[in-house]
Amino acid sequence: MSNFIFGRYLPLDSVVHHLDPRNKLMLSFCYIVLVFMANNPVSYLVIIAFTVGAILASKISLGFFLKGIRPLLWLIVFTVVLQLLFSPAGGHVYFHWAFINITQFGLINSVYIFIRFLLIIMMSTLLTLSTQPLDIATGLASLMKPLRWVKVPVDTLAMMLSIALRFVPTLMDEANKIMNAQRARGVDFGEGGLLKQAKSLIPLMVPLFMSAFNRAEDLSTAMEARGYQDSEHRSQYRILTWQRRDTVTWIIFVVVLAAILVTRRW
Amino acid sequence: MKMTVESRLPKLSTLSLVTMGLLMALQLVIKSFSVGPAFLKFSFTFLVAALIARLFGPWWGMMTAAVVDVIGTLMSGGPFFIGFTISAILGSLIYALFLYRQPVSWSRLIIAQVLISVVVNALLNTLWVAIMYKTPFWGLLPVRLLKEGIMTPIQIVLLYLLFKSQVVARIQQRLKL
């Protein structure tokens, strides 16, 4: 329960927090492409500088970013160790035994991959920590609008998404209540073998499904009573505005992109 | 085996729309209730994804799967990668092809779940991890296949129990599907 998805936003007053959510979404998608492009020490330095700059600008302390790395730790260790031990020959060989080679090439490669992991995780953690879920949803709905041209019902999906976000905390509370109620009747959650653990979740899931559906019925009746017919023919109350600082972030991004394009040839 | 696919998106009632919204919320909630040791984390989100696919068909299944994947990763602080969204969409499509407007049977559930476990979870997701982090594909694949080998039977049994349960029958009846 410690990784509860809604408690992760950190309300701080920084430049990053005040950016347009659409802008932050686009930037973090493009950032991953940027990380893919770096291929030598200098280009990695450029992108590290950019990332550190963004983190500093957000005023969020480093400890929160380290927390974001924890769930992916085994994958990081697995990858780095495999790269280190089984990389193709190249450069100076430090250690050799049977099919295991620790080479200069492998060492450099695993350092790159380690950095790459850190960068990608840190930037996505930054987006989560500096943006409220509802803002992410509004931004996403706005970015999906062009999909209307391929007949995707964007407005309906946006409506579903805002209903979903509104009810995550409610259902979360409810799940906890049901768990406690079943515990009081003798159910042991998270104990015993895998199959027993899975089975013990049935007394949680079944009431949760039913309660979610009951809420859906009540909410849809109440929505129709307030004049809801469809998602298309309505106006908007929540409006996002693109500001000058959003334009500035793109100028910085393009500069970094240019720097990487230049340095990766070295 | 007969499959049903509609070329046009069916019109939604308000109740269906809100139900899908709440099921999406449920999916986000259930994500945080995973069981098992750290290296074999097992979450139950597939149950909700399969239920949406069964009740509302491939189109709504795929679209809600995409939205839940994107918003779920962004809000849990995980790195976004389009590949995993494609995996989620494919999983939902496979569930819908086998389960939408079809009687529930062991053979359908087994084929659908094995297809998803092997093609989507094992092959594709390993490929995405390999592209994103340069994790060696052939090194990771055996680990993943082993995990799926343990999980798939449990998933099939749970899906069967869910779809045969009174709850789903009652929901289906009230949605007039």
Side-chain angles (χ1 to χ4, degrees):
Chain A
M1 201 83 57
S2 54
N3 52 354
F4 180 28
I5 43 180
F6 269 69
R8 308 228 338 144
Y9 168 70
L10 281 178
L12 288 173
D13 185 36
S14 78
V15 190
V16 179
H17 285 73
H18 289 298
L19 288 175
D20 191 316
R22 288 170 295 181
N23 184 25
K24 275 189 274 189
L25 284 169
M26 285 190 291
L27 278 173
S28 36
F29 295 160
C30 296
Y31 177 81
I32 291 183
V33 179
L34 215 61
V35 176
F36 279 130
M37 287 168 70
N39 64 351
N40 60 20
V42 191
S43 52
Y44 268 103
L45 270 182
V46 173
I47 197 153
I48 289 171
F50 176 63
T51 314
V52 170
I55 288 172
L56 288 179
S58 74
K59 295 185 187 168
I60 297 169
S61 70
L62 208 63
F64 288 103
F65 292 97
L66 295 180
K67 253 188 223 161
I69 293 167
R70 214 182 296 154
L72 285 168
L73 205 60
W74 75 268
L75 189 64
I76 301 179
V77 173
F78 185 83
T79 309
V80 170
V81 169
L82 274 191
Q83 283 285 345
L84 194 63
L85 297 184
F86 303 108
S87 62
H92 184 72
V93 178
Y94 297 113
F95 178 80
H96 181 80
W97 178 78
F99 50 87
I100 295 175
N101 281 310
I102 297 183
T103 61
Q104 192 182 6
F105 179 77
L107 201 65
I108 294 173
N109 228 0
S110 35
V111 170
Y112 279 164
I113 284 162
F114 184 66
I115 294 173
R116 186 179 203 174
F117 259 110
L118 290 193
L119 290 176
I120 293 179
I121 296 167
M122 280 187 168
M123 208 43 142
S124 48
T125 312
L126 179 65
L127 173 73
T128 313
L129 291 177
S130 71
T131 322
Q132 266 173 321
L134 199 59
D135 282 335
I136 294 185
T138 318
L140 214 57
S142 159
L143 287 178
M144 286 195 315
K145 280 211 177 117
L147 289 177
R148 272 188 194 141
W149 297 104
V150 286
K151 301 258 164 94
V152 176
V154 176
D155 303 283
T156 312
L157 281 176
M159 175 60 91
M160 276 181 203
L161 185 54
S162 29
I163 292 172
L165 289 179
R166 162 64 185 79
F167 280 95
V168 166
T170 317
L171 289 182
M172 199 77 188
D173 285 348
E174 193 131 325
N176 278 324
K177 259 187 214 158
I178 296 170
M179 268 176 110
N180 285 334
Q182 303 288 21
R183 272 199 195 106
R185 291 163 178 78
V187 180
D188 288 322
F189 290 104
E191 271 170 50
L194 195 65
L195 202 67
K196 193 163 172 280
Q197 280 189 39
K199 241 171 119 184
S200 76
L201 282 171
I202 294 174
L204 168 67
M205 300 295 244
V206 170
L208 204 54
F209 268 112
M210 219 46 232
S211 134
F213 187 71
N214 285 338
R215 274 177 202 285
E217 272 190 324
D218 291 348
L219 179 64
S220 71
T221 312
M223 275 166 69
E224 279 173 349
R226 284 166 178 77
Y228 177 85
Q229 278 180 322
D230 61 43
S231 301
E232 277 91 47
H233 306 96
R234 350 173 33 230
S235 59
Q236 271 192 312
Y237 181 69
R238 292 178 62 85
I239 290 168
L240 300 169
T241 47
W242 186 274
Q243 286 159 311
R244 192 158 41 160
R245 51 177 164 245
D246 295 307
T247 317
V248 173
T249 56
W250 276 97
I251 296 170
I252 297 171
F253 185 85
V254 169
V255 170
V256 174
L257 178 68
I260 284 175
L261 281 177
V262 171
T263 52
R264 60 175 283 162
R265 298 190 179 279
W266 288 356
Chain B
M1 209 174 270
K2 205 174 117 276
M3 292 179 184
T4 321
V5 187
E6 280 161 359
S7 55
R8 275 186 67 245
L9 202 58
K11 179 96 181 85
L12 270 193
S13 67
T14 313
L15 180 58
S16 300
L17 177 140
V18 178
T19 305
M20 260 189 267
L22 271 142
L23 288 177
M24 282 160 78
L26 206 54
Q27 223 170 335
L28 292 171
V29 168
I30 289 175
K31 243 186 190 168
S32 54
F33 289 95
S34 44
V35 297
F39 57 93
L40 264 182
K41 275 281 172 227
F42 181 57
S43 121
F44 294 88
T45 44
F46 71 96
L47 286 176
V48 189
L51 185 62
I52 295 179
R54 172 160 175 75
L55 293 178
F56 302 103
W59 294 109
W60 288 112
M62 289 192 287
M63 284 187 292
T64 51
V67 173
V68 167
D69 177 76
V70 175
I71 206 85
T73 11
L74 289 182
M75 283 188 321
S76 61
F80 175 79
F81 187 70
I82 189 82
F84 294 106
T85 316
I86 295 171
S87 292
I89 292 172
L90 264 180
S92 195
L93 175 66
I94 294 173
Y95 277 134
L97 287 180
F98 284 94
L99 303 171
Y100 182 48
R101 293 194 178 158
Q102 307 284 348
V104 179
S105 70
W106 281 107
S107 55
R108 282 180 177 282
L109 285 176
I110 290 170
I111 297 174
Q113 191 56 53
V114 168
L115 214 60
I116 292 175
S117 294
V118 174
V119 177
V120 180
N121 297 357
L123 287 175
L124 273 181
N125 284 354
T126 309
L127 180 68
W128 306 137
V129 172
I131 292 174
M132 199 165 170
Y133 301 117
K134 288 189 179 165
T135 303
F137 181 81
W138 296 110
L140 195 58
L141 192 63
V143 185
R144 293 256 180 164
L145 274 177
L146 188 69
K147 180 189 163 173
E148 292 301 327
I150 299 169
M151 297 308 183
T152 312
I154 303 178
Q155 286 177 308
I156 293 169
V157 172
L158 286 176
L159 280 174
Y160 187 83
L161 290 178
L162 174 73
F163 288 142
K164 284 286 179 188
S165 71
Q166 285 289 305
V167 186
V168 171
R170 216 147 66 199
I171 291 176
Q172 221 163 346
Q173 201 180 24
R174 269 148 81 181
L175 278 168
K176 295 186 193 76
L177 287 171

